[in-house]
Amino acid sequence: MKPLLAMSIISILSIGVIIPSYAQCVYGCESSPVPITTQQNQVKLTDKGSLMVGFYTDPVKPTVSDKTSLEISFEDKDSQVSLSNVDYQVLIAKDNVSVYQTPVAHSTQGQAKVQYQFKDPGQYQVAVYVTGMNSHQMPQEGAAFDLTIWPSAVPEFPTSTTIMLLIALVSIILISSRTKLYA
């Protein structure tokens, strides 16, 4: 095998390995001063102070293309033990306008899950209202959580990568035509 042909093949293979890594890092490795787990691990005391409400999202970084699972937990404010038999309601709002509201539901093991497909990216507020515990009605109290919904990202190659590929392809064609590698 001619050395120039071998060098051309190695160049193409290395570009094929480098570009996906570059694209992944550009579109998936954004550095942020806030850890990515912040959105999934929010726990707050209700406005009247009776219990703690935990809020988690799946996926951790929801987008408009994902069906998002809002996972809610109810805990004792002092012992942080899960509270079973909690009546709750969830309200999702964007710009202080309600976009979705669940009917009052009942959690049996101190856990609840609400599925929702967000239509627009942006900042949302999720309010969890507790209306009863252990089959006893109580004055409504709640906890509110901020939630960021990201646009669905379709990775594409940056212009610089496309130019680099074009230059490499033209160089290989020119070199192979001058050295008669195609014969």
Side-chain angles (χ1 to χ4, degrees):
M1 192 179 244
K2 296 182 180 182
L4 194 53
L5 180 61
M7 189 168 75
S8 298
I9 291 172
I10 290 172
S11 296
I12 291 172
L13 289 176
S14 63
I15 288 172
V17 169
I18 290 171
I19 290 176
S21 299
Y22 175 73
Q24 180 183 8
C25 193
V26 167
Y27 293 101
C29 298
E30 62 218 21
S31 59
S32 169
V34 179
I36 196 158
T37 57
T38 301
Q39 186 158 294
Q40 104 180 40
N41 292 321
Q42 298 183 54
V43 179
K44 292 186 177 179
L45 189 62
T46 58
D47 55 359
K48 295 184 181 164
S50 296
L51 66 145
M52 300 290 288
V53 177
F55 178 73
Y56 314 89
T57 61
D58 184 23
V60 174
K61 190 175 178 183
T63 65
V64 292
S65 62
D66 297 327
K67 188 166 203 166
T68 304
S69 177
L70 308 175
E71 299 178 20
I72 302 158
S73 65
F74 303 100
E75 301 173 356
D76 182 78
K77 68 177 181 177
D78 298 320
S79 66
Q80 297 183 346
V81 172
S82 287
L83 297 172
S84 56
N85 299 317
V86 176
D87 296 329
Y88 67 93
Q89 183 175 28
V90 177
L91 174 81
I92 301 172
K94 182 175 185 188
D95 299 325
N96 294 323
V97 176
S98 176
V99 294
Y100 180 73
Q101 182 174 347
T102 67
V104 175
H106 184 77
S107 77
T108 55
Q109 300 297 321
Q111 303 287 322
K113 189 180 285 191
V114 174
Q115 299 280 331
Y116 186 71
Q117 176 80 41
F118 290 91
K119 294 165 186 55
D120 298 311
Q123 284 297 121
Y124 287 81
Q125 300 78 36
V126 178
V128 179
Y129 297 105
V130 177
T131 60
M133 288 191 332
N134 296 323
S135 302
H136 299 296
Q137 292 296 320
M138 58 184 265
Q140 179 175 297
E141 55 187 275
F145 302 93
D146 292 323
L147 176 63
T148 302
I149 302 299
W150 302 90
S152 55
V154 177
E156 56 186 60
F157 292 119
T159 306
S160 61
T161 304
T162 307
I163 292 171
M164 184 174 60
L165 277 174
L166 185 61
I167 291 171
L169 184 62
V170 169
S171 299
I172 290 169
I173 292 170
L174 287 175
I175 291 171
S176 65
S177 68
R178 289 187 181 193
T179 58
K180 311 249 190 282
L181 282 176
Y182 56 87

